[in-house]
Amino acid sequence: MALSSIWVVVEPSNGALTTTSLELLSHARSLAADVRAITWGEDAASLAAEAGEFGATTLYDVGDLAGALPGVPVASAIAALVASSAPDAILFPSSYDGRDIAGRLSARLDRPVLTNATGLTDEGGLVTEHPAFGGTLIVKARFTGEGPGLIVVRAKSFVVSPTEGLAATVVAAAPGDAGAEGAARIVTSHVEERTGPKLEEAAVVVSGGRGLGEAGSYALIEEAAKLLGGAAGASRAIVDAGWVPYSHQVGQTGKTVKPTVYIACGISGATQHMVGMKGSKNIVAINKDADAPIFQIADFGIVGDVHKVLPALIEALKARG
Amino acid sequence: MNVVVCVKQIPDPAAPQALEPSHNLDRSGKLILDEADTYGVEMALQLVDKAGSGEVTVVSMGSAADVAGLRNALAMGAAKAVIVSDDSLRGTDALGTAKVLAAVIGRDMPDLILCATESSDGYTGTTPVQLAGLLGLPSITFAKSVTVDAGAVKVDRQTESGYDEVSAPLPCVVTVTAGVVEPRYASFKGIMAAKSKPVEVLSVADLGLGGQVGTAGARQEITSVTAAESRQGGEKHVDEGDGALKIVAYLESIKVL
């Protein structure tokens, strides 16, 4: 039995849809004839062309949220749509707001959620794939019972592929009255400036971990990344320690990256971290502990002190001009 | 101010992990308090301390055969613990867990409910928001700072590009990241005091949740578990002053330089 309909929650960001949203639309199109998208908060008419290009025929617009966090209003709008016509599945990007919307909708519809999906196939019904134990196992799962399957998908799980599709038809989807549940309000937004390519899109990622010893040494990571035209990443340990902002974090709870080369400096290789970078094409590791787990997946390893190797690498890169 | 912290006792992540034939995580070994939960416990203790009154209660679901992890939270300073322990809970999913936690917390609604952003074993990451939905409360996820003032909670919430200052009236569910506070180590005095603090053990029947939890209530199933394609380690060289140049040569070989 082929799937008839999949809906995708597509996240707006500065007048465009996020890359993960486009990945989900592209993949949904390969599974179902009817793909619809749900968005909020920005000019839906201008997002409709992009949504259509990647396969959505309809773009439900929840509209301006008046400062509310998206979780409650977007979930309640979807719940109202589902009540009149339910799809086979609803896909959510694995992002802050994507997870919130999925959780809220799950409670509303009394339907379970499968999260951290990295694969989705139709095997006479939807089957999801999830990495377990730091990516050493692949677990496949499926829903039982009636109602749409709610699936939260990790970034970089699917390839983005455009079509010749026309702009999606924008249909207003009212959030209704969220009541006490929807009472959280954004007071102010702070943007932390980053220069260079985005972490998720850079061809080269240089990441630092606890082995750097102190926050000040992170400057070495940033300089090496800049000289290689790449982005600077971090392990959870040094983000938790407050050395660098969360937006730099690579791993299970951070970003998933798949660059041409990932250079791990002073990172031992906790499974938490490896899940976010083991899809890199090439992995280089610098660590003074020859037995660090990172060497088990590194194509090229240097057993040494990052405080000696990194400055020398920076000098060598500068000398090349 | 009364704060509930949802906590989980998990198999030590540093020990080898395994799945049972039923595909459930093998939890038969020693269980510890999920480190991700210690941040919520610490945050709760600090907020109650600042408010000048009230107490911290930890609420959990899982086997009560070993409650060392809950004692750890009590040793840090929580006043009491409640754990829902029942054979019929095996295989319960995130939504089922939220139903159990909601049934416990709804008995006596606190001012604030803190959770980790996700557990370190299942890392589903949706239970706190499902819990908020079931309790009809607002929620703020991914807090990197939490303050309470005049009946409202103010949170700096991580975003893709930085952070948002978010405010919500109490009661509210807040999930905290590992950076929110530095958890204290339990003092000897705290460890001794924890031994006599109450740990209430409840069953599914006590909460009237029969049929909604366990494998049957999950309405999802694992169809297969297979080994992932593994990556092999490659060359490894000890740095003898030439490590950087070797890296440059490698980057040239893969045409990054």
Side-chain angles (χ1 to χ4, degrees):
Chain A
M1 181 188 70
L3 299 166
S4 56
S5 175
I6 294 180
W7 294 359
V8 180
V9 168
V10 294
E11 243 176 319
S13 174
N14 300 320
L17 298 176
T18 63
T19 306
T20 312
S21 302
L22 302 183
E23 290 163 6
L24 299 195
L25 281 177
S26 301
H27 191 67
R29 206 178 65 227
S30 73
L31 293 169
D34 177 26
V35 175
R36 302 181 189 194
I38 300 111
T39 197
W40 65 91
E42 293 198 13
D43 179 20
S46 67
L47 298 174
E50 197 177 18
E53 187 186 350
F54 291 89
T57 52
T58 300
L59 179 63
Y60 293 111
D61 175 28
V62 186
D64 182 54
L65 305 184
L69 291 175
V72 173
V74 176
S76 88
I78 298 173
L81 294 169
V82 166
S84 56
S85 165
D88 294 295
I90 305 176
L91 310 185
F92 307 82
S94 190
S95 61
Y96 303 107
D97 291 333
R99 285 206 323 196
D100 276 8
I101 297 166
R104 286 287 176 178
L105 188 60
S106 163
R108 289 265 167 136
L109 299 179
D110 191 28
R111 285 292 297 159
V113 188
L114 285 164
T115 62
N116 289 307
T118 52
L120 188 59
T121 48
D122 182 0
E123 301 176 15
L126 276 179
V127 173
T128 54
E129 260 184 47
H130 311 260
F133 297 161
T136 54
L137 293 181
I138 300 290
V139 172
K140 286 192 172 190
R142 69 175 174 212
F143 292 103
T144 58
E146 293 294 309
L150 311 182
I151 303 164
V152 183
V153 184
R154 287 187 67 87
K156 306 257 163 106
S157 297
F158 307 122
V159 175
V160 172
S161 64
T163 65
E164 304 290 305
L166 300 171
T169 308
V170 177
V171 177
D177 180 14
E181 281 185 48
R185 286 286 176 282
I186 300 170
V187 182
T188 324
S189 289
H190 299 262
V191 175
E192 287 161 352
E193 293 294 335
R194 283 189 70 123
T195 54
K198 287 173 80 173
L199 186 54
E200 314 91 293
E201 289 162 13
V204 178
V205 173
V206 184
S207 274
R210 188 78 86 178
L212 289 171
E214 54 171 0
S217 297
Y218 193 76
L220 295 171
I221 300 293
E222 287 175 318
E223 190 169 8
K226 194 174 171 196
L227 287 164
L228 288 164
S235 72
R236 176 169 160 179
I238 70 167
V239 171
D240 288 355
W243 296 2
V244 287
Y246 180 81
S247 56
H248 290 61
Q249 186 172 318
V250 173
Q252 178 69 49
T253 41
K255 298 211 158 69
T256 304
V257 299
K258 292 186 178 177
T260 307
V261 64
Y262 187 88
I263 306 179
C265 308
I267 292 176
S268 62
T271 54
Q272 196 316 116
H273 184 74
M274 304 230 261
V275 150
M277 47 67 79
K278 69 187 291 185
S280 304
K281 197 153 174 248
N282 301 282
I283 297 172
V284 175
I286 308 168
N287 203 296
K288 66 180 177 204
D289 175 9
D291 297 324
I294 192 80
F295 287 123
Q296 290 166 18
I297 63 160
D299 301 289
F300 193 85
I302 295 291
V303 181
D305 185 349
V306 288
H307 297 98
K308 289 181 183 154
V309 180
L310 266 181
L313 179 62
I314 287 165
E315 285 314 309
L317 292 171
K318 277 184 180 164
R320 294 173 64 94
Chain B
M1 186 174 68
N2 292 318
V3 183
V4 161
V5 186
C6 298
V7 303
K8 189 173 186 184
Q9 299 188 120
I10 63 167
D12 189 344
Q17 305 201 334
L19 293 177
E20 297 174 335
S22 63
H23 299 318
N24 288 322
L25 183 60
D26 180 356
R27 298 176 186 277
S28 60
K30 183 176 158 46
L31 299 178
I32 62 167
L33 180 65
D34 188 343
E35 192 206 348
D37 294 329
T38 60
Y39 303 95
V41 173
E42 178 64 40
M43 191 75 247
L45 292 169
Q46 291 186 15
L47 290 171
V48 166
D49 194 40
K50 191 153 183 255
S53 67
E55 62 182 20
V56 176
T57 303
V58 294
V59 173
S60 190
M61 184 185 102
S63 170
D66 179 358
V67 293
L70 300 183
R71 294 275 176 217
N72 185 7
L74 297 173
M76 287 174 72
K80 60 184 195 285
V82 184
I83 181 164
V84 184
S85 177
D86 202 308
D87 285 345
S88 71
L89 289 171
R90 287 199 71 75
T92 300
D93 72 338
L95 181 58
T97 305
K99 287 177 182 176
V100 169
L101 297 174
V104 175
I105 296 166
R107 296 186 308 174
D108 182 15
M109 190 69 87
D111 300 295
L112 182 66
I113 300 160
L114 297 181
C115 307
T117 54
E118 60 193 6
S119 66
S120 307
D121 57 350
Y123 56 84
T124 307
T126 54
T127 303
V129 174
Q130 289 164 323
L131 170 65
L134 295 169
L135 291 172
L137 299 180
S139 58
I140 308 174
T141 51
F142 289 92
K144 56 180 211 164
S145 91
V146 183
T147 54
V148 170
D149 186 34
V153 59
K154 292 186 171 61
V155 166
D156 286 350
R157 178 188 189 242
Q158 286 172 350
T159 62
E160 302 294 340
S161 55
Y163 68 97
D164 287 346
E165 290 175 38
V166 184
S167 175
L170 300 177
C172 181
V173 175
V174 175
T175 75
V176 298
T177 64
V180 74
V181 277
E182 188 63 36
R184 73 191 68 184
Y185 286 103
S187 65
F188 179 71
K189 199 176 147 198
I191 293 167
M192 294 311 287
K195 291 183 178 175
S196 58
K197 287 181 178 174
V199 176
E200 184 184 5
V201 181
L202 297 173
S203 69
V204 167
D206 290 337
L207 298 170
L209 285 172
Q212 296 184 63
V213 295
T215 306
R219 292 166 296 164
Q220 54 181 267
E221 62 184 10
I222 289 175
T223 56
S224 73
V225 177
T226 50
E229 208 175 297
S230 65
R231 243 190 126 104
Q232 299 295 324
E235 296 173 54
K236 191 161 78 173
H237 306 277
V238 174
D239 177 38
E240 285 163 355
D242 57 351
L245 295 177
K246 286 201 165 103
I247 291 174
V248 168
Y250 177 75
L251 295 177
E252 283 173 342
S253 77
I254 59 170
K255 299 188 168 52
V256 165
L257 286 176

